[in-house]
Amino acid sequence: MKSYPPNTPISEYLDWFAANQSGLAEPATNKQSLLLSTVLLTGLVDGINPCAMAILLFFITFLFSIRKNRWAIAQMGAVYISAVYVVYFLVGLWMLKVSGLAQRHWLVQVGAGLLILFGLTNLLNALFPKFPIRLELPEIGKEGLKTWMYRATLPASLVLGTLMGLESFPCSGGPYVAILGLLGSQTEFWQGLAYLALYNLMFVLPLVIILGLSLNPVMGRKIQAWERSSSRTVRGVTGAIMALLGSGLLLWVL
């Protein structure tokens, strides 16, 4: 806040403003709008990953193959997605609390670096299929998921979603760490909690859309065929977006 005597010419303030503009804080509304957009976009990009999408599509196809009706499939799919949401949210909540004990800007920088690394790895996987490093579920994790998937019950769907939420970090942990570090440095705890809930809603949104469309068996088969044929393209596009978002976050906090 600057104050001047009534007869001070406006040019005096304008000269001061020009000399000090770079050090002034940006308006809070612009900052919050940018933060919200970053959280929503990163959550959506994080959710469009081959790991979670492929597992859900395979699960739905299997349920149709054993003659489960659409209502039963919708229930099991909803339980699966809800479990993924809750587990991922709780992991994020724990990390958000931990970020309060760490040097927050340092955590954001590490998260942004991981986001760039994950993005470039996905991009290299798309361009060079034989690239030795891949972000995917561990083999032992896949076997555990199949075991619970084949039980085809609501409790098994809950366990399946819980395991998926825990095991999806090799595919999607980088964006999550980056956003959690950003929330830890830019928000108070309860505000960060609200952003975390929005992030996870965007994270499971692709799964909700896939479940809704796949309740039509013909559409489900088409989506599964598209996922298999386009997985490299999806991986490359989301990888490039991750790398760009990570670069933007790094520039934000430096």
Side-chain angles (χ1 to χ4, degrees), residues 56-150:
L56 179 59
L57 284 167
F58 187 82
F59 185 36
I60 294 171
T61 302
F62 170 72
L63 293 175
F64 273 118
S65 73
I66 60 173
R67 300 294 189 270
K68 291 287 184 180
N69 60 51
R70 294 184 185 183
W71 174 240
I73 293 173
Q75 285 182 305
M76 283 186 267
V79 169
Y80 167 84
I81 293 171
S82 298
V84 171
Y85 178 91
V86 171
V87 170
Y88 219 60
F89 178 84
L90 291 177
V91 171
L93 178 60
W94 175 78
M95 294 181 67
L96 190 62
K97 285 188 174 181
V98 170
S99 72
L101 304 176
Q103 294 182 9
R104 294 179 174 183
H105 284 286
W106 175 81
L107 187 61
V108 183
Q109 292 168 11
V110 170
L114 284 175
L115 184 53
I116 295 171
L117 180 62
F118 275 48
L120 292 178
T121 301
N122 278 334
L123 186 58
L124 288 172
N125 287 155
L127 296 175
F128 308 102
K130 294 184 179 180
F131 187 70
I133 302 174
R134 297 183 66 85
L135 301 176
E136 58 184 6
L137 296 175
E139 289 301 321
I140 188 172
K142 292 179 182 178
E143 293 304 316
L145 291 172
K146 288 180 181 178
T147 298
W148 288 98
M149 186 184 302
Y150 292 152

